[in-house]
Amino acid sequence: MPSITGIKSRTVFDSRGAKTIEIDVITDEKFSGRACAPSGASVGKYEAQSFPKNSPEKALDVLKANEIKFIGLDAADPKAVFEVLRSIYSTETYSLVGAAVAYALSLASVQSASKALDTPMFTLLKPHGPYRFPFPLGNILGGGAHAGPGTPDIQEILACPVGVRDISEALEMNFRVHKEVRKVIQANDEDFTYGRGDEGGWAPKADNDQALEIAERAVKNCGFTLGDDMSLGIDFASSTLWDAKAQVYNYKRQQITRDRYKQIDYVNHLIKNYKLIYAEDPVNEEDFEGAAIITKDNKRCLVTGDDMLVTNVMRAKRASEYKACSGAILKVNQAGSLYDAMNFAKECTANGIKLITSHRSGESIDSHLVHIAISTDSKMLKAGIVGGERVAKLNELLRLREYDLIDGMAVL
Ligand code: PGA
Ligand code: ZN
């Protein structure tokens, strides 16, 4: 058993320049694993808090005072780390130590164990195959909480190369479409400054309908058939548009509002018109019934809960009762530790809800995400498109091709 012999921790900066924490876990006195906590911009109301009192320093103080309790644990066992975290910080939302410590400690432990045992991380999290590559969802164009004024209200338009059988080809196709999107934007707006959102997608001056037309045109210009070789998806992140008081979705940049029924109609229309394979948070995080209507009407589209489910087992149970979602975003730091997230994955899989493992908009150059996706049988992976912290994850997919263990692409 690879045993934890040391822990080091520090504050560092994420891809947005915001302060976060990084933890090193040392196993058997020589194998070091490292993980840095990511952070969101469109944060779900029910996700775990990153830091106690919003202070990374405070989180590290609490960790340092309790470090000794982790010494001697089996680094390969996320449950062991989880139990100690919970025994010290008894709340479910990690309010005393924060989800960032739970995240970084649990991932750094498994990485150090993977070095000690000389096996890739995903094999520790899932000891037996089959293993498959998730389809990469490339963020090609966006706005909302990830970009500035003038950009679409929709947070992300995503490319998914559904027709490929090889991960390298899948990534190449996404990069081609991303490049082409820029050309199409430029053809419409010669003053386009090449601005990009937090995850690498282009952030043009455009409304939602124009943005979708640009994406569709780019797919066609690349010679791909929409819905056949290449599909599109949308993260509506609609909780950020929802005005609970007025009970409307406020498309501020387009200067229109939609009530609940109009929103559902709009989403249904976009799914059909653009043959969307993926629709994330199409209604606000509380509206399980609304999500259920969309899920029922669109069997070929993964209607996915992110802010709605927040990687939380109880919310996944609720989604199953309502038949609210056919897809679930898995973001470890929404839940806290890796063990919490793996339990969420089990709950979703047991109820036929397909998993999409996801980065956050504020990221590091860690690539653990890919191992989590493979070990949870995720059908898709959201890891952005360009920028060092995004490409770090995509390139890890290519490295893992060298293991004969992985048997092609996921079955959607
Ligand atoms: P976040 O956005 O990391 O800013 O929450 C990503 C998403 O909503 O999928
Ligand atoms: Zn989202």
Side-chain angles (χ1 to χ4, degrees):
M1 158 186 126
S3 163
I4 296 178
T5 50
I7 294 173
K8 289 187 207 162
S9 55
R10 61 191 72 83
T11 58
V12 293
F13 297 98
D14 71 12
S15 58
R16 271 195 285 254
K19 211 182 255 183
T20 185
I21 58 145
E22 182 178 79
I23 298 179
D24 297 347
V25 169
I26 297 102
T27 295
D28 298 344
E29 289 181 343
K30 57 180 176 210
F31 301 102
S32 178
R34 172 172 290 170
C36 176
S39 75
S42 61
V43 175
K45 191 157 125 196
Y46 299 100
E47 56 177 281
Q49 282 278 318
S50 282
F51 305 110
K53 301 200 168 88
N54 282 326
S55 163
E57 288 82 5
K58 175 101 188 115
L60 293 186
D61 287 347
V62 182
L63 172 65
K64 283 187 178 131
N66 289 282
E67 238 163 57
I68 188 78
K69 297 175 186 161
F70 295 93
I71 304 299
L73 294 184
D74 178 357
D77 181 6
K79 190 172 180 207
V81 173
F82 159 83
E83 279 170 354
V84 175
L85 279 165
R86 277 289 166 84
S87 74
I88 309 165
Y89 317 108
S90 56
T91 70
E92 246 180 57
T93 53
Y94 295 95
S95 55
L96 295 181
V97 65
V101 162
Y103 172 95
L105 192 63
S106 57
L107 279 161
S109 296
V110 179
Q111 194 189 25
S112 68
S114 104
K115 288 191 183 163
L117 298 168
D118 194 23
T119 184
M121 255 175 84
F122 69 86
T123 63
L124 293 182
L125 301 175
K126 185 186 176 205
H128 305 288
Y131 302 108
R132 296 193 202 280
F133 284 113
F135 281 87
L137 278 167
N139 187 338
I140 52 173
L141 198 164
H146 291 175
T151 58
D153 291 288
I154 285 179
Q155 186 175 283
E156 302 163 28
I157 299 177
L158 303 141
C160 186
V162 287
V164 301
R165 303 299 341 138
D166 176 74
I167 188 64
S168 174
E169 198 189 331
L171 296 175
E172 257 184 78
M173 282 173 70
N174 279 359
F175 286 129
R176 266 184 72 190
V177 173
H178 180 255
K179 234 180 177 171
E180 187 60 30
V181 165
R182 192 191 79 188
K183 286 195 195 147
V184 178
I185 297 170
Q186 247 179 326
N188 295 338
D189 174 10
E190 56 185 26
D191 294 329
F192 180 50
T193 60
Y194 296 1
R196 291 197 259 114
D198 288 343
E199 299 173 355
W202 302 111
K205 258 202 179 122
D207 65 29
N208 300 310
D209 302 316
Q210 290 164 337
L212 279 155
E213 278 158 28
I214 292 167
E216 185 184 33
R217 165 76 21 229
V219 169
K220 289 186 178 157
N221 288 357
C222 287
F224 302 138
T225 311
L226 191 71
D228 194 354
D229 321 302
M230 176 62 84
S231 288
L232 293 175
I234 294 178
D235 181 1
F236 291 86
S238 63
S239 293
T240 59
L241 308 177
W242 179 240
D243 179 340
K245 229 179 179 178
Q247 293 283 298
V248 290
Y249 292 90
N250 200 348
Y251 288 76
K252 269 192 202 136
R253 296 166 185 187
Q254 211 164 355
Q255 296 187 333
I256 55 167
T257 58
R258 290 189 170 94
D259 67 15
R260 180 172 179 263
Y261 300 101
K262 284 203 177 120
Q263 173 75 3
I264 292 172
D265 282 352
Y266 180 57
V267 170
N268 278 336
H269 160 75
L270 293 185
I271 293 176
K272 293 199 169 76
N273 203 26
Y274 293 97
K275 299 184 187 156
L276 300 184
I277 190 150
Y278 182 82
E280 183 178 331
D281 284 337
V283 289
N284 79 78
E285 59 211 334
E286 313 284 9
D287 191 5
F288 284 72
E289 285 115 329
I293 295 169
I294 298 169
T295 299
K296 187 163 168 258
D297 286 352
N298 298 284
K299 297 262 186 305
R300 294 164 67 102
C301 176
L302 279 184
V303 179
T304 298
D306 171 15
D307 294 341
M308 176 167 272
L309 304 184
V310 290
T311 317
N312 177 295
V313 172
M314 295 314 291
R315 292 187 73 86
K317 282 189 200 297
R318 190 149 150 214
S320 311
E321 278 162 31
Y322 281 89
K323 297 191 169 49
C325 303
S326 47
I329 282 280
L330 183 147
K331 290 172 171 168
V332 174
N333 82 321
Q334 282 182 329
S337 85
L338 183 56
Y339 181 72
D340 298 276
M342 297 304 272
N343 277 341
F344 172 81
K346 272 190 207 148
E347 181 67 31
C348 290
T349 304
N351 288 292
I353 300 175
K354 293 177 177 165
L355 291 161
I356 299 94
T357 293
S358 170
H359 63 166
R360 300 307 303 252
S361 50
E363 266 292 341
S364 73
I365 55 162
D366 290 351
S367 54
H368 310 119
L369 193 73
V370 166
H371 294 262
I372 297 165
I374 294 172
S375 65
T376 54
D377 297 321
S378 289
K379 302 297 177 195
M380 295 176 184
L381 171 75
K382 277 183 86 180
I385 188 93
V386 293
E389 73 283 5
R390 314 294 155 186
V391 172
K393 283 122 182 109
L394 303 176
N395 283 343
E396 181 74 353
L397 288 164
L398 299 180
R399 285 181 209 108
L400 294 184
R401 257 171 121 215
E402 291 160 23
Y403 291 91
D404 289 335
L405 287 170
I406 305 177
D407 194 14
M409 302 299 293
V411 180
L412 284 176

